[in-house]
Amino acid sequence: MGRTSLPKDVWVQCLEFLFDDSILELAVVSPNFKRTLIESRRTGGGGPWRHPSGPWQPAGLWRVLNFSCLSVEMKSLPAVILHCDIELKDPTEVSKFLNAAKAVASDTVDGRVMFSKFSFDPRESADLFSGFDDGAQNWCCAMPNVPIVFKGVEMECCLEAQCFDFEIGQNLPSLHLGCSCWDHHPVLEGLGLCCRPLISPEVRLKVSWDTIYEDHLLDATSPLSTLVRAGEALPIFFGVGRMKP
């Protein structure tokens, strides 16, 4: 591939339409392309990158990683299935998305990660944070429920919140995963769902088919409380992992 006669800014815009694996392949076979790419990286900027539902292919990492690092990342890329459309506005958001996906992949048994955006009904969220028990621990469930198939077993993942400790004077709600499975299967023994929010990947939720192993208190320090209260989208990565008390 030789140098293009297009103006440099137009050439850079063309690069934004390529996935990172294509960028890497072209850089390997064409020294001219690689030099142009390095010059384009110095211009800064980049994005947004829009991805439809389905397998995620990263784009934009070439702007923040050198070629050796990009090669390593592409070889260790987790398998991410998007259950919704996403838009990553700039290279920083691309890196954050990748790092959160890798964190969840490390929690799973098969390295497969799914991603969706969950949101609560603001009216139900108002009851959730009201401080008054409705008799059912102010339980509420975000939408949507996301279908999962693991080794032929069908199940659904959902995001729930409720106040577990009204009886001891604690009226703050907790966020946790819910999981429904149509039948008990030996292949699911010792397994369950695990997740991490994109905006706060240090938070981890874990649930088996009948036990909540890890939840998250929605107090004033939680970065998720505002989103739950307002019914705004909670971007979540999740997968199938081993459950440990």
Side-chain angles (χ1 to χ4, degrees):
M1 178 184 296
R3 292 277 184 168
T4 176
S5 59
L6 289 173
K8 187 173 182 178
D9 58 339
V10 176
W11 175 241
V12 171
Q13 291 179 27
C14 292
L15 290 174
E16 305 295 4
F17 289 95
L18 295 178
F19 293 118
D20 286 316
D21 55 355
S22 298
I23 291 278
L24 190 61
E25 290 174 4
L26 290 171
V28 169
V29 300
S30 172
N32 284 339
F33 178 87
K34 185 173 182 179
R35 284 195 295 271
T36 302
L37 201 63
I38 293 172
E39 293 172 4
S40 301
R41 185 189 294 139
R42 295 180 186 137
T43 65
W49 292 278
R50 299 177 180 87
H51 303 266
S53 299
W56 176 63
Q57 290 182 273
L61 289 174
W62 66 272
R63 282 192 167 274
V64 293
L65 298 176
N66 62 39
F67 294 108
S68 60
C69 291
L70 181 60
S71 178
V72 171
E73 288 290 2
M74 298 308 295
K75 290 176 181 177
S76 61
L77 191 70
V80 180
I81 301 297
L82 305 176
H83 285 269
C84 60
D85 296 348
I86 64 169
E87 178 178 289
L88 302 175
K89 296 180 180 179
D90 54 44
T92 299
E93 287 198 356
V94 177
S95 295
K96 186 175 181 180
F97 189 91
L98 174 62
N99 290 335
K102 289 167 64 177
V104 177
S106 68
D107 295 334
T108 69
V109 295
D110 57 2
R112 294 174 61 245
V113 176
M114 286 140 283
F115 178 85
S116 188
K117 296 178 182 177
F118 298 85
S119 57
F120 289 89
D121 186 321
R123 295 168 295 181
E124 295 183 353
S125 294
D127 293 337
L128 179 69
F129 288 93
S130 68
F132 298 98
D133 188 0
D134 65 358
Q137 299 180 326
N138 295 3
W139 177 89
C140 58
C141 184
M143 294 295 291
N145 288 358
V146 180
I148 305 171
V149 178
F150 177 77
K151 294 187 176 180
V153 180
E154 296 181 355
M155 61 194 87
E156 284 189 342
C157 172
C158 59
L159 192 63
E160 304 175 353
Q162 63 193 101
C163 301
F164 290 109
D165 299 320
F166 274 122
E167 65 275 11
I168 61 173
Q170 171 63 269
N171 59 14
L172 287 174
S174 292
L175 189 71
H176 62 89
L177 281 175
C179 181
S180 61
C181 184
W182 315 136
D183 295 294
H184 293 290
H185 294 269
V187 71
L188 301 179
E189 185 68 30
L191 303 180
L193 296 179
C194 53
C195 85
R196 294 178 189 258
L198 172 60
I199 64 171
S200 189
E202 72 278 3
V203 173
R204 184 170 63 180
L205 309 177
K206 295 176 69 174
V207 65
S208 68
W209 327 123
D210 56 4
T211 303
I212 297 172
Y213 285 93
E214 292 188 42
D215 58 4
H216 175 68
L217 187 65
L218 294 171
D219 59 13
T221 66
S222 169
L224 307 179
S225 293
T226 300
L227 298 179
V228 174
R229 284 179 181 270
E232 295 182 8
L234 283 165
I236 301 286
F237 290 96
F238 55 97
V240 177
R242 297 199 179 280
M243 298 294 102
K244 296 180 181 179

